[in-house]
Amino acid sequence: MERREKSPQQIRQVLIFFVCLGGSLVCSENWRFSVAEETETGSFIANVVKDVGSGVEDLAARRARVIFDDYKPYLWLDQQTGNLLLNEQLDREALCDFTEPCVLHFQVLLENPLQFFRAELWVRDINDHTPTFLDKDILLKIQEGTAPGTSFQMESAQDLDVGKNGVQNYTLSPNPHFHLKLEDTDKGRKYPELVLVQSLDREKEPELRLTLTALDGGSPPRSGTAVVRVLVLDINDNAPEFQSPLYEVQIPENSPLDSLVVKVSATDLDTGINGELSYSFSHISRDIRKTFEIHPVSGEVHLKALLDFELIQSYMINIQAIDGGSLTGKSTILIRVLDVNDNPPEIVITSLTSPIPENSSPEMVVAVFGVRDQDSEDNGKMVCSIQDNLPFLLKPTFKNFYTLVTERPLDRETRTEYNITITVTDLGTPRLKTEHNITVLVSDVNDNAPAFTQTSYTLFVRENNSPALHIGSVSATDRDAGANAQVTYSLLPPQDPQLPLASLVSINADNGQLFALRALDYEALRVLEFGVGAVDRGSPALSSRALVRVLVLDANDNSPFVLYPLQNGSAPCTELVPRAAEPGYLVSKVVAVDGDSGQNAWLSYQLLKATEPGLFSVWAHNGEVRTARLLSERDAAKHRLLVLVKDNGEPPLSASVTLHVLLVDGFSQPYLPLPEAAADAAQADPLTVYLVIALASVSSLFLFSVLAFVAVKLCRRNRAAWMSGSSVPEGHFPGHLVDVSSTGTLSQNYQYEVCLGGGAGTREFKFLKPVIPNFPPLNTEREESHIFLNGFGFN
């Protein structure tokens, strides 16, 4: 097989132009190759390396391939050598029927850059078919007395080959009555006619048998035969005549079976059997015989098979009317098939790239596909489109080929895949369309940093926790995929370099779980703030951070601590209560604090044990010890009270304190230590004795100073009273009882008025009931606490 030489009509100036559509190059020059039908598969056709204009190594790199117009793989291109090889045996008759020349159009496609080369493959006919008669037994009726020279048309033989390989000649067996005459049709085909040489005599020879042979022009020639039976009839001197020599008919290709195409009519002037007509087709091909039929009596032509405009656009049918004497009248029917839009467009994807990276540059080629419609005119014109609001564009390239390209950068986090529907619609009526779906995946690049679910996290952990306790978690998500979305957590260096963060908490690098490495103490550390970071595994890696605030919750791990009265092992403090005190008289106040906070530091007071139950009571909320009833002479002078101080924690913790109360008559009785205190003092060590002596000396000196000061005041008041007529001078001795607890259980200051009677034989103090309470400002709390302690002899 070699390339066919260009025809003289193609000897003209070669016009080369470049069509730049989507980066593709199309050459206008057609390549022409030829091959004989029935050639073995794999046979060499041509080498296209020189025609392509690039080296053999570029063919594979540019994915060179062959695409026929009907998308059938008749040839294949060896990318290693550039040879065009036959992919299958070709049958010219199946491909082109009687069309001559038989030309198959195809393109050679190269990518990167996209380039097309148009080419033609001419399939040469070989003599592989024998002429055959459709009717092996031909019946010919001839009236006797027919004049010599009369010709009788015979059915032509059918040969699927074309050109010189088709039917070229006919021969007739020797006989005295007929010789053979060949006639040419308007399409260049030959058909035989029997010409009467000698008149027939039915009485001598009523029937003749002749052998008709058809020969083609192949080498060697092939032949086919048929038997012609000639029946001699009576004389019939009038031949039928049709009303029109040409019938023109148009019929849509979608007409149903048995549809009436046309009705023909002929007349014969003879009468009787010689005037009876029979209609039939004459010199028709197999396609016409399979598609149409004519009623022999009525002359109606009906549709026998479905029409297809895309295969055959018109039919030329020769018809004849034969009377009873075998005289014939001839006419022709021209049937034009009208195209209807019965073929939807076709889509063939030739190249598809998926997935594509999300940072792809615009106009990246995603797919290459071709479209076609077998209809004609508007029915075959097509419009190609895709959905709106997609970052893709369709660009026409060559002939009916399109490329699908990106219009703008993609974002995988917004959309991971695109289902693109390619819609091809023709312009026929009604419009037909074809849809083809392709899925384009978007691959990920690391363009998103991890994002925490919260900018700051607040966690709670109760103090005295067990080591390695899980206290909470942080979580960050990355919108990327794969390794780009795998997040690793870590603790960030604290702003305070002195903070031992690594010894306090740790974080699981994989899931962000936080753990307390050791027990925390609310009283030592109430709030712990630190930063955590999240880093993905992309390249380059991206990170983010969040703030974690750990609040240590208080636990009830501190018992109440009694500030007053002090329980330090020294001589107990004795409270003096006048027997004239009324119920509710304030004896003393138990002052206590708790190192915890919240309800764990809410203190309540309870009288556990008393020398005389019912005589004293303790207020539960402020620890004030008051008399519960009037005192009498029968009440013992010495009382010992055991007060329980309990917090509100779970479980509650408590402390106890002992109060010693001495009942006196208007402070006239000297203060006597309790026997228990005297016994304890006697057993104290010498250092305690020295301390007691020193404390007693200081107290005595202080008491003497107070008495002297009071005496001077009283003397001045007596003088003033004598001058004013007053009988009883009074002196004021202020005193303060102040709450020193941070809990504020004692909320008021009580001022007592102490009066020393000037006319008495002995000096005595009398407690009177408190006057209006005085509310000091809070900022004097510490100063008053100091005065309160000093008032009881504490430094």
Side-chain angles (χ1 to χ4, degrees):
M1 280 62 65
E2 70 278 356
R3 182 177 301 181
R4 180 171 298 182
E5 295 298 326
K6 296 182 179 179
S7 62
Q9 291 79 5
Q10 293 175 325
I11 302 176
R12 62 187 181 274
Q13 181 182 2
V14 178
L15 183 62
I16 301 177
F17 61 94
F18 295 89
V19 180
C20 297
L21 295 172
S24 62
L25 178 64
V26 181
C27 290
S28 61
E29 182 181 1
N30 282 346
W31 301 344
R32 181 175 295 178
F33 309 97
S34 64
V35 62
E37 66 173 333
E38 307 298 335
T39 301
E40 293 294 326
T41 301
S43 299
F44 172 81
I45 303 299
N47 188 285
V48 300
V49 173
K50 182 178 180 181
D51 296 320
V52 169
S54 59
V56 176
E57 61 278 6
D58 291 338
L59 297 180
R62 296 179 63 183
R63 298 174 61 186
R65 55 190 180 276
V66 174
I67 303 175
F68 279 81
D69 284 0
D70 58 356
Y71 302 104
K72 294 184 179 179
Y74 302 120
L75 300 178
W76 68 280
L77 179 60
D78 188 349
Q79 296 180 353
Q80 304 299 323
T81 63
N83 292 336
L84 277 176
L85 304 178
L86 198 61
N87 199 40
E88 63 183 38
Q89 285 189 345
L90 303 180
D91 186 356
R92 194 207 64 82
E93 288 73 29
L95 294 173
C96 302
D97 201 4
F98 292 102
T99 303
E100 183 66 15
C102 181
V103 181
L104 302 179
H105 298 275
F106 66 96
Q107 295 84 33
V108 177
L109 170 63
L110 288 83
E111 296 182 1
N112 299 322
L114 192 63
Q115 193 173 12
F116 290 86
F117 296 88
R118 295 179 294 186
E120 298 176 352
L121 180 63
W122 290 46
V123 182
R124 301 194 306 271
D125 183 47
I126 63 173
N127 191 25
D128 56 344
H129 292 87
T130 301
T132 57
F133 289 91
L134 298 179
D135 293 327
K136 296 294 185 180
D137 191 2
I138 302 173
L139 177 62
L140 185 60
K141 297 179 180 181
I142 302 177
Q143 290 284 349
E144 63 180 349
T146 302
T150 304
S151 61
F152 302 92
Q153 290 186 0
M154 307 297 296
E155 290 289 340
S156 58
Q158 304 292 322
D159 194 334
L160 296 179
D161 296 324
V162 296
K164 67 177 183 179
N165 293 325
V167 177
Q168 300 294 324
N169 194 18
Y170 292 87
T171 61
L172 186 65
S173 60
N175 68 91
H177 299 283
F178 298 93
H179 74 84
L180 194 62
K181 178 183 177 182
L182 299 181
E183 294 289 340
D184 294 330
T185 65
D186 53 352
K187 294 185 178 180
R189 301 182 64 183
K190 296 180 179 180
Y191 63 91
E193 287 187 353
L194 291 181
V195 180
L196 185 62
V197 177
Q198 183 180 346
S199 298
L200 299 176
D201 187 356
R202 180 181 174 279
E203 287 71 22
K204 291 182 179 181
E205 195 172 9
E207 180 178 345
L208 299 174
R209 284 185 173 268
L210 307 175
T211 301
L212 180 63
T213 303
L215 299 172
D216 62 19
S219 179
R222 295 173 178 262
S223 62
T225 61
V227 175
V228 180
R229 292 192 306 121
V230 180
L231 295 180
V232 182
L233 303 178
D234 287 339
I235 294 176
N236 181 22
D237 55 340
N238 290 287
E241 292 184 3
F242 281 93
Q243 293 179 353
S244 174
L246 178 64
Y247 294 86
E248 294 188 16
V249 181
Q250 293 182 342
I251 180 172
E253 64 173 323
N254 60 349
S255 298
L257 296 178
D258 203 33
S259 297
L260 176 62
V261 179
V262 67
K263 181 178 181 180
V264 297
S265 177
T267 60
D268 195 327
L269 297 178
D270 294 326
T271 60
I273 191 173
N274 294 326
E276 295 179 359
L277 302 181
S278 175
Y279 300 96
S280 63
F281 294 139
S282 174
H283 311 116
I284 59 173
S285 64
R286 289 181 302 171
D287 290 334
I288 296 177
R289 186 180 294 273
K290 291 188 300 183
T291 308
F292 302 98
E293 63 180 356
I294 186 170
H295 194 277
V297 176
S298 65
E300 294 180 348
V301 178
H302 289 267
L303 195 60
K304 186 178 179 182
L306 295 177
L307 302 176
D308 190 349
F309 174 85
E310 288 69 38
L311 295 179
I312 302 176
Q313 291 77 37
S314 65
Y315 296 88
M316 185 70 74
I317 305 176
N318 296 319
I319 58 173
Q320 62 182 3
I322 305 176
D323 60 17
S326 296
L327 294 180
T328 61
K330 299 180 181 179
S331 185
T332 303
I333 302 175
L334 176 59
I335 300 177
R336 301 183 188 276
V337 181
L338 300 180
D339 183 37
V340 295
N341 195 23
D342 60 343
N343 288 284
E346 300 176 10
I347 303 175
V348 177
I349 302 296
T350 60
S351 175
L352 176 62
T353 302
S354 178
I356 57 177
E358 61 179 320
N359 60 349
S360 301
S361 59
E363 297 202 0
M364 174 185 175
V365 177
V366 178
V368 179
F369 63 93
V371 298
R372 73 167 184 172
D373 193 316
Q374 297 184 14
D375 294 321
S376 63
E377 297 182 353
D378 288 344
N379 295 333
K381 295 179 181 179
M382 296 167 289
V383 177
C384 188
S385 64
I386 59 176
Q387 309 102 296
D388 295 332
N389 302 323
L390 288 180
F392 299 95
L393 289 176
L394 282 180
K395 287 191 173 183
T397 53
F398 166 73
K399 204 174 179 179
N400 289 331
F401 281 90
Y402 291 84
T403 56
L404 178 67
V405 299
T406 57
E407 181 182 14
R408 58 182 181 269
L410 308 178
D411 187 3
R412 190 207 65 84
E413 290 69 38
T414 303
R415 194 165 179 178
T416 59
E417 67 176 36
Y418 292 88
N419 292 318
I420 303 173
T421 301
I422 301 173
T423 303
V424 181
T425 306
D426 61 27
L427 302 181
T429 302
R431 295 193 175 189
L432 301 179
K433 70 176 181 179
T434 299
E435 294 182 348
H436 185 86
N437 295 322
I438 62 174
T439 300
V440 178
L441 303 178
V442 182
S443 60
D444 184 53
V445 296
N446 192 27
D447 57 350
N448 289 278
F452 282 94
T453 56
Q454 302 172 215
T455 57
S456 63
Y457 295 82
T458 301
L459 307 178
F460 298 91
V461 58
R462 192 167 296 279
E463 65 172 330
N464 305 322
N465 58 283
S466 59
L469 175 68
H470 176 229
I471 61 176
S473 301
V474 296
S475 177
T477 58
D478 196 312
R479 297 177 61 194
D480 295 320
N484 296 331
Q486 295 179 3
V487 179
T488 301
Y489 302 91
S490 63
L491 296 176
L492 300 179
Q495 295 181 352
D496 184 4
Q498 303 299 327
L499 179 65
L501 181 63
S503 63
L504 294 176
V505 294
S506 68
I507 189 170
N508 189 311
D510 296 327
N511 54 27
Q513 293 183 348
L514 290 167
F515 299 89
L517 297 180
R518 65 184 187 186
L520 302 179
D521 186 2
Y522 172 82
E523 288 71 32
L525 179 65
R526 297 190 178 187
V527 179
L528 175 61
E529 290 187 353
F530 55 91
V532 294
V535 182
D536 60 26
R537 297 185 181 179
S539 178
L542 301 178
S543 63
S544 62
R545 61 182 298 161
L547 178 66
V548 178
R549 191 167 185 261
V550 179
L551 300 181
V552 182
L553 302 179
D554 181 45
N556 193 26
D557 57 347
N558 290 282
S559 299
F561 177 74
V562 179
L563 295 178
Y564 179 83
L566 293 178
Q567 304 293 307
N568 56 3
S570 61
C573 180
T574 302
E575 305 292 341
L576 303 179
V577 178
R579 289 186 179 271
E582 295 181 357
Y585 176 83
L586 178 62
V587 178
S588 181
K589 179 177 180 178
V590 178
V591 181
V593 294
D594 196 308
D596 297 318
S597 65
Q599 69 176 16
N600 294 329
W602 296 351
L603 302 180
S604 62
Y605 303 84
Q606 179 183 357
L607 182 61
L608 288 181
K609 185 178 181 182
T611 303
E612 187 172 343
L615 181 58
F616 299 96
S617 65
V618 178
W619 286 20
H621 299 295
N622 58 15
E624 293 180 353
V625 180
R626 296 179 181 268
T627 57
R629 59 178 175 81
L630 288 173
L631 303 177
S632 64
E633 296 296 335
R634 291 178 296 179
D635 294 329
K638 303 173 185 177
H639 294 269
R640 183 176 182 180
L641 307 178
L642 181 61
V643 179
L644 177 69
V645 183
K646 182 173 64 175
D647 60 25
N648 198 35
E650 185 62 37
L653 301 178
S654 62
S656 60
V657 61
T658 302
L659 288 177
H660 297 278
V661 179
L662 180 62
L663 303 183
V664 297
D665 294 326
F667 293 134
S668 61
Q669 296 179 349
Y671 167 69
L672 296 176
L674 296 179
E676 295 85 348
D680 293 340
Q683 296 176 2
D685 55 12
L687 179 59
T688 304
V689 175
Y690 297 150
L691 291 176
V692 171
I693 294 174
L695 182 59
S697 301
V698 173
S699 300
S700 301
L701 181 60
F702 174 73
L703 183 59
F704 177 76
S705 300
V706 171
L707 292 177
F709 176 76
V710 171
V712 173
K713 285 289 185 180
L714 290 178
C715 289
R716 291 178 181 178
R717 179 171 294 185
N718 287 336
R719 187 180 297 110
W722 178 77
M723 295 176 63
S724 62
S726 176
S727 62
V728 181
E730 292 183 349
H732 296 277
F733 184 78
H736 297 279
L737 290 177
V738 182
D739 179 16
V740 297
S741 172
S742 61
T743 62
T745 55
L746 182 59
S747 60
Q748 300 175 355
N749 296 332
Y750 292 87
Q751 179 178 354
Y752 295 89
E753 187 176 283
V754 181
C755 178
L756 179 63
T762 61
R763 294 175 297 173
E764 65 179 3
F765 289 97
K766 293 185 178 180
F767 277 66
L768 303 180
K769 56 184 179 179
V771 296
I772 299 175
N774 179 29
F775 298 93
L778 295 177
N779 56 7
T780 61
E781 182 178 356
R782 294 185 178 273
E783 181 180 357
E784 292 175 348
S785 300
H786 181 68
I787 295 174
F788 170 76
L789 294 176
N790 288 342
F792 284 94
F794 297 102
N795 295 323

